[in-house]
Amino acid sequence: MGAVPQAGVDDAVESRASESRNRWWPLSARQVLLAAAALIAVQLVVRGAVAFAGDFYWDDLILISRSGQSPALSGGFLFYDHDGHFMPAAFLVAWISTAVAPLNWTVPALTLIAGQALASFAVLRVLRLLLGTRPVVLLPLVFYLFSPLTLPSFAWWAAGLNSLPMQIGLAWVAGDAIRLCRTGRTRFAVSGTIVTALSLAFFEKSVLVPVVAFAVVALMYRVDGIERPIRAALVRGRALWIPLVAVGAVWAAAYLHFTHSRLVAPSATQTAGLAHHGTSLGLVPTLLGGPWAWDRWPPSPPWATPPMVLVVLGWLAVAAALVWSLRYRQRTAGIWVSMVAYVAVSEAAMVLTRSGPDTAYELAQTLRYVADSAVVIAIGWALIVRAPRRPGVRRLPSPRPPLVVGLAALFVVSSLWSTATFVARWRDNPTVDYLANGRVALAANRNTPLLDQPVSIYVLLPVAYPHNTTSHIFGPLRERPEFARSTNYLQLFDDSGKLVPAAVTPTRNIGQGPVPGCGYRVEGAPVELPLDGPLIDWEWTAQLNYFAGADGTIEVGLNRSDDTVTVPVEAGLNQAFVRLFGAGDALRVRTATPGLALCVGAGPVGAVAPVQGAGS
């Protein structure tokens, strides 16, 4: 089979469409394109407002931490197993963003908007290839552009770096597959292969991109009445399918080498619960512009909380669309099966990788695990519209333009309301103030070294260690003090990100020492400073109250640990606060500067806490 028969089918489809357009929708192809461009512009304005209303959140900080600690092109950086995700291209974008403007939300927000623009134009392209440049193409486009289904994964930078490239890949490669099968031009096979490879470099779920592309071509042939549509799709698109299999094989080898399986065997109860919450309380309400309301327990992301009436209306709309398409359109059952299968695979991936005794069902309502389904649903809608009418069945009256425009407007209004309520919840992010206060405090204290510490648990939990430490998160900043193992002035970030005076809360204490008027005299050889009890293997901070005869350096450690810290000291009576790791019942101190002598008095060893009355 060649390209000519399919071109004839496309001409017939366009001819039928032209008659309908001239009859009910007096819009030229140019006017349709202008309307589509205007809709995309409005969407980008809305999504731009969403992006700039947000800020860094959770995994974003891990991306920043890793970007500040590793060179961009190192294998350890690019091929890192990020909680089961294989995303070297996403890491590279994060590294560039951090290098250009560390901890500045403007660059990540612009990357999100740019990704959304590419995805929107890719969806418009594939819809035009399926429906032609006629007014009906605007309806599935409106769904994709404004549906809240893609909203949570867009607003969260780390999620957007996964989801947006995949959405681009789904739409663009499906379009390339259609054009290749129609024209036989190799450039579409090359383009589709490159875009698939790039999508896989951002998100492992993009392994579904070739599957969707093949399904779109096969379903298009099916609704067009071409004999043996699967075989036709295989033969006509083999210039694309063969390199995609090769790309998939190389990617699979890399994925299996660099990542560790996180698949779990969930219980039937948990599987059913997550599927219900992800479908009935998550995806289905978005088909009508829902969920209208969101909830959030910081530091978790927002999740959809639709009213029950919207859930019921959503299912009724799905049922009505199913009955209408099966009764009035030919050969559409396979399209419905394909859309349901795609959603089911997406939810199965969530269940198999995120289930566990501590998994809340609300996880499925965050929508990010099914966000890319918006592209598949829009394409499925276009394929149903493309299908010819069923002969011998009484036709329903064609909807008048004002009615269709009104329903589309209601969907947009509903979606915008859901967007507004999402933004209100998304703004409830303690990370924003924490980072802002931290940047100001660090710039104002550039000459005083800081001991490392975990950030507030409302910003990042300890499970993210070491990426939850201030040295990792604030490390990429240029205007900041050194993060060191010792300092002469002890400060601490409070939960708001402000630097406040701190003190060592004693777990053990250094005694006064045997030398009258001196305590412990340290000169040359190591001297042990006994504690009033043992310390377990942990992170400790020692307060050294000393008098030094000259400027120099000393070495400090616990007597049962190989960890040693080089500490600068100044002439005269001073203090040094030293971060130690390990166990012991004494401190081991040695002068590293020849001729240096110092006296060390009593002092605490323990944890660091804000001075009472300090902080917000």
Side-chain angles (χ1 to χ4, degrees), residues 509-546:
N509 290 281
I510 304 168
Q512 183 55 48
V515 180
C518 178
Y520 292 93
R521 182 174 179 82
V522 182
E523 186 175 7
V527 175
E528 288 199 354
L529 285 57
L531 304 175
D532 58 4
L535 293 171
I536 62 172
D537 190 358
W538 196 246
E539 174 185 290
W540 305 105
T541 301
Q543 177 179 322
L544 299 181
N545 301 311
Y546 69 87

Side-chain angles (χ1 to χ4, degrees), residues 126-132 178 182 216 220 379 382-383 386:
V126 73
L127 294 179
R128 287 182 63 208
L129 290 170
L130 290 170
L131 295 175
I178 293 171
R182 286 178 181 173
V216 169
M220 180 183 71
I379 293 174
L383 286 167
R386 180 186 177 90

Side-chain angles (χ1 to χ4, degrees), residues 66-225:
R66 297 192 66 249
S67 298
Q69 300 294 317
S70 305
L73 300 180
S74 66
F77 175 72
L78 293 176
F79 303 121
Y80 175 74
D81 180 359
H82 182 62
D83 198 20
H85 292 303
F86 184 61
M87 42 190 277
F91 289 141
L92 184 58
V93 171
W95 191 95
I96 294 171
S97 298
T98 303
V100 170
L103 288 178
N104 186 325
W105 178 244
T106 299
V107 176
L110 290 176
T111 64
L112 290 172
I113 296 169
Q116 184 62 76
L118 292 174
S120 298
F121 280 107
V123 170
L124 173 61
R125 174 180 182 252
V126 73
L127 294 179
R128 287 182 63 208
L129 290 170
L130 290 170
L131 295 175
T133 309
R134 53 192 178 112
V136 73
V137 80
L138 300 176
L139 298 180
L141 179 64
V142 164
F143 168 77
Y144 172 75
L145 294 179
F146 297 101
S147 173
L149 184 56
T150 61
L151 182 60
S153 64
F154 167 83
W156 185 357
W157 187 38
L161 288 175
N162 293 153
S163 181
L164 288 171
M166 183 179 180
Q167 293 174 40
I168 295 167
L170 286 170
W172 189 265
V173 178
D176 276 346
I178 293 171
R179 298 206 68 183
L180 172 66
C181 291
R182 286 178 181 173
T183 67
R185 294 176 183 171
T186 306
R187 66 186 178 94
F188 296 116
V190 174
S191 170
T193 302
I194 292 173
V195 172
T196 299
L198 287 174
S199 298
L200 284 168
F202 279 94
F203 191 21
E204 69 280 354
K205 191 181 175 183
S206 294
V207 71
L208 295 176
V209 166
V211 179
V212 170
F214 178 80
V216 169
V217 175
L219 289 169
M220 180 183 71
Y221 285 167
R222 168 69 178 158
V223 299
D224 290 348

Side-chain angles (χ1 to χ4, degrees), residues 341-430:
Y342 188 89
V343 173
V345 167
S346 296
E347 293 187 348
M350 170 190 67
V351 171
L352 291 174
T353 58
R354 294 295 181 257
S355 294
D358 299 323
T359 300
Y361 289 149
E362 287 77 10
L363 173 74
Q365 293 166 238
T366 60
L367 302 183
R368 65 181 184 272
Y369 296 99
V370 291
D372 41 274
S373 299
V375 177
V376 174
I377 293 170
I379 293 174
W381 185 348
L383 286 167
I384 291 171
V385 173
R386 180 186 177 90
R389 294 185 177 89
R390 190 176 295 278
V393 177
R394 183 181 177 183
R395 293 175 57 180
L396 290 175
S398 296
R400 299 285 179 173
L403 175 61
V404 176
V405 172
L407 291 175
L410 281 176
F411 173 81
V412 171
V413 170
S414 175
S415 299
L416 292 178
W417 176 253
S418 295
T419 301
T421 55
F422 173 85
V423 168
R425 286 294 189 181
W426 186 239
R427 278 177 169 164
D428 183 16
N429 181 7

Side-chain angles (χ1 to χ4, degrees), residues 148-324:
L149 184 56
T150 61
L151 182 60
S153 64
F154 167 83
W156 185 357
W157 187 38
L161 288 175
N162 293 153
S163 181
L164 288 171
M166 183 179 180
Q167 293 174 40
I168 295 167
L170 286 170
W172 189 265
V173 178
D176 276 346
I178 293 171
R179 298 206 68 183
L180 172 66
C181 291
R182 286 178 181 173
T183 67
R185 294 176 183 171
T186 306
R187 66 186 178 94
F188 296 116
V190 174
S191 170
T193 302
I194 292 173
V195 172
T196 299
L198 287 174
S199 298
L200 284 168
F202 279 94
F203 191 21
E204 69 280 354
K205 191 181 175 183
S206 294
V207 71
L208 295 176
V209 166
V211 179
V212 170
F214 178 80
V216 169
V217 175
L219 289 169
M220 180 183 71
Y221 285 167
R222 168 69 178 158
V223 299
D224 290 348
I226 291 180
E227 294 182 3
R228 295 190 291 179
I230 293 178
R231 184 178 184 280
L234 279 171
V235 172
R236 295 177 182 176
R238 62 182 177 273
L240 176 59
W241 312 137
I242 292 172
L244 287 187
V245 169
V247 168
V250 172
W251 172 85
Y255 178 80
L256 294 174
H257 177 75
F258 290 110
T259 64
H260 301 286
S261 174
R262 286 169 171 78
L263 296 181
V264 296
S267 66
T269 300
Q270 188 169 59
T271 300
L274 287 170
H276 165 68
H277 281 254
T279 306
S280 292
L281 303 182
L283 186 148
V284 170
T286 66
L287 302 179
L288 298 180
W292 298 348
W294 309 78
D295 202 353
R296 188 179 193 182
W297 300 335
S300 69
W303 64 85
T305 56
M308 188 52 61
V309 65
L310 184 60
V311 175
V312 173
L313 288 174
W315 277 115
L316 288 175
V318 171
L322 175 63
V323 170
W324 172 83

